[in-house]
Amino acid sequence: MDDMLKDFVVEAMDLAVNVEEHLLRLERDPDNKETLNAVFRSFHTIKGGAGFMGLPAMVAACHLTENLFDALRTGAAPVTPIAIEAALQASGFVADQLAELNNGAEPHSLAPMPHDLEVILTDAIEGKTGAPAPAAAPAPAPAPVAAPAAAAPAAVAAVSITSEDGLDWEGMYETVMPAGSYTRPAVSAAPVAAAAPAAAAAPAAAAAAAAAPAAVGTAVAAPAKRDAPEKREERPHAAPAKEESIRVDAVKLDALLEVAGESVQAANQAAVLLERLLQFKFEGQAQTLMATLAETLERASRYSTELQRATLATRMQPVGRLFQKFPRLVRELAKDLGKDVELTIEGAETEVDRVVVDSLYDPLVHMLRNSLDHGVESPEDRLAAGKPAKSFISLKAWQEANSVMIVLQDDGKGMDPVVLRTKAQQKGLISESANLTNDECFQLVFLPGFSTKEVASSVSGRGVGMDVVKTAVEKNRGAIHIESALGKGTKFAIRLPIELSIVPTMLVSTSGAALALPMAVVQRVVELPDVFMEVGGAPVLKDQGRPLPVRSLADALGYESCREKVGIVVAAPQPYILAVEAVDGTADLVIKPMTAITVEGITGTARSAEGELVLVVGLSFLMDGCRGSVRMAA
């Protein structure tokens, strides 16, 4: 893919996602003129770039959808369910073609616009809803894609399509057209219907519906009164402001972050060496040189830390980029399942490492599908249970210390721990004698092959999905936990590090091994007694008035037993005290994932300031009480 096509695809994909969000908002608020105009502008922008890039099917779909929204915003056609559905189908078609291009497909290999899409868009433009369209503003028939189209009045299209990176797609489209055959629409701050008397609205709408060209090479008539030179004088003034941002290959950012992390690590090691050198006595010129060296190293350490922070900031992205893809998914799946569901999103501005954002799409899709299929009830069942017919699913994100919390919660029927345990036993996933708490029963859904569905559907029931969710979360050094109440609903809580490469840790040692624990789960450090009181044969220690179980880190990792004198209160769903031999301080470590071997409980390696190899204990391992789900349930 050449650079210009790549830029177009990246920008158009962002626009296509925003279009879906606007359409779902418009479905709830059909009279929102601002949203109508936003959708019109998005399709208009994509059409201009697609025309310049020689993508006729995309141009055709955008052209008809643009006609539809011009008719909607001028009142020539009503905002109806068929209009929303038509626009969503058009948006999906455009998104699919963009995805193909992004995956390396050649423009000439893309499929033509489906006939069904053309039909539904045409019906929506003509106001076919079972009720007659408004007589004062009859909806025009769309111009055939390959036929000449009449030009729009200058005041019709309120658009500006200079892209985020300063590329003016419509300007390039205008350049390749025959001289005088196409001039861009004039910019207007309001729809025609608001600027002209009602008597003039109908002819304006009719002209607007056939305004834009369908593809490169389509000849259109330009109105004589258009003041093209004046518009060309205005365009250059907006371009410089768009050049404040550039696109950088993610691989280059990753390489820069690794270099920045290593520079911090080197600076820390140099500081430790200097501290050791200063224990010796220096005199004269040597003393002066050592003082200068100390000052230089301090400055180098400060700058390397700033470089690291700045590099990390370039990788951070709001989770809203991920969340905005889900409202349409929920809408369509709820429709297929015959359920009335509303998705609410909070905290979309919360930032997290881009790698985390990219890897969370599939897990969240699995969770939403399970929530819709298993969790929320049908309107009839909800009414029978004394609930509102409409069910609600919320997706929230927020920053908590050095972690990002993502919580998906529904107000459905909840999970029955007895049913979960019975199903797991029937499938041979746990032993018949397993004695599990309710909380442990909820975690059974993460076992591979687990499902409560008797018959698999197109949505769920094949025993895959939730184990994939847990695996994906743990791959990003995160943890996931379930809470549920019968008749009230279920909550999935995901905890993830804000960024993946550098993690604040507590350094500990046990059985001769140097280990690092993520600070995200460390509450405080306590001294352990020589003798513990016991409950059910297990050691227990009171912490701030509450009895907490004590678990040995050495035992959990399979190390030799040792005298563990220090306890760390772990902020897990079921809090406990982790016993270690010693606490050696805290450090921000550059984490390297383990790829060659897999060790339960260990998620990566790092180097301490002294250059010592440190094993990083997994967040999920600690959140699960130092036991994997399978071993816990066996």
Side-chain angles (χ1 to χ4, degrees), residues 61-228:
C62 291
H63 177 56
L64 280 177
T65 314
E66 183 185 16
N67 288 352
L68 169 61
F69 273 82
D70 196 63
L72 295 179
R73 67 196 194 126
T74 59
V79 178
T80 59
I82 190 176
I84 299 295
E85 184 61 32
L88 281 171
Q89 288 189 25
S91 174
F93 172 71
V94 170
D96 288 345
Q97 293 225 320
L98 291 169
E100 288 186 48
L101 290 169
N102 194 48
N103 291 332
E106 293 296 329
H108 61 79
S109 69
L110 298 182
M113 181 175 70
H115 177 68
D116 291 346
L117 177 57
E118 183 178 356
V119 169
I120 192 173
L121 283 168
T122 303
D123 288 347
I125 292 171
E126 294 176 351
K128 291 184 180 179
T129 61
V145 172
V156 171
V159 296
S160 174
I161 64 167
T162 302
S163 71
E164 291 297 324
D165 55 7
L167 293 177
D168 184 354
W169 294 111
E170 192 175 12
M172 291 188 281
Y173 182 87
E174 186 177 355
T175 301
V176 300
M177 293 296 293
S181 64
Y182 172 68
T183 309
R184 67 177 58 209
V187 176
S188 169
V192 175
V216 176
T218 301
V220 293
K225 65 179 181 178
R226 191 181 303 279
D227 190 357

Side-chain angles (χ1 to χ4, degrees), residues 339 371-372 374-378 382 385 387 390-393 409-415 484-491:
K339 298 179 178 180
S371 184
L372 284 159
H374 294 283
V376 299
E377 314 93 329
S378 66
R382 290 179 65 86
K387 292 182 174 183
K390 177 182 284 189
S391 53
F392 292 88
I393 297 177
Q409 186 169 7
D410 65 57
D411 65 347
K413 59 188 176 185
M415 295 183 182
S484 190
L486 278 174
K488 295 183 179 179
T490 302
K491 179 170 76 172

Side-chain angles (χ1 to χ4, degrees), residues 548-616:
L548 295 180
V550 180
R551 291 167 187 159
S552 164
L553 180 58
D555 290 347
L557 293 174
Y559 294 169
E560 291 183 3
S561 297
C562 62
R563 174 72 174 91
E564 293 167 322
K565 305 175 183 178
V566 182
I568 298 167
V569 181
V570 177
Q574 302 295 324
Y576 64 96
I577 294 175
L578 184 66
V580 299
E581 195 170 359
V583 171
D584 304 318
T586 61
D588 291 347
L589 298 182
V590 180
I591 308 298
K592 299 293 179 66
M594 296 179 65
T595 55
I597 58 173
T598 300
V599 179
E600 185 178 5
I602 303 300
T603 190
T605 62
R607 290 281 176 185
S608 68
E610 291 80 8
E612 181 183 7
L613 181 67
V614 176
L615 299 178
V616 182

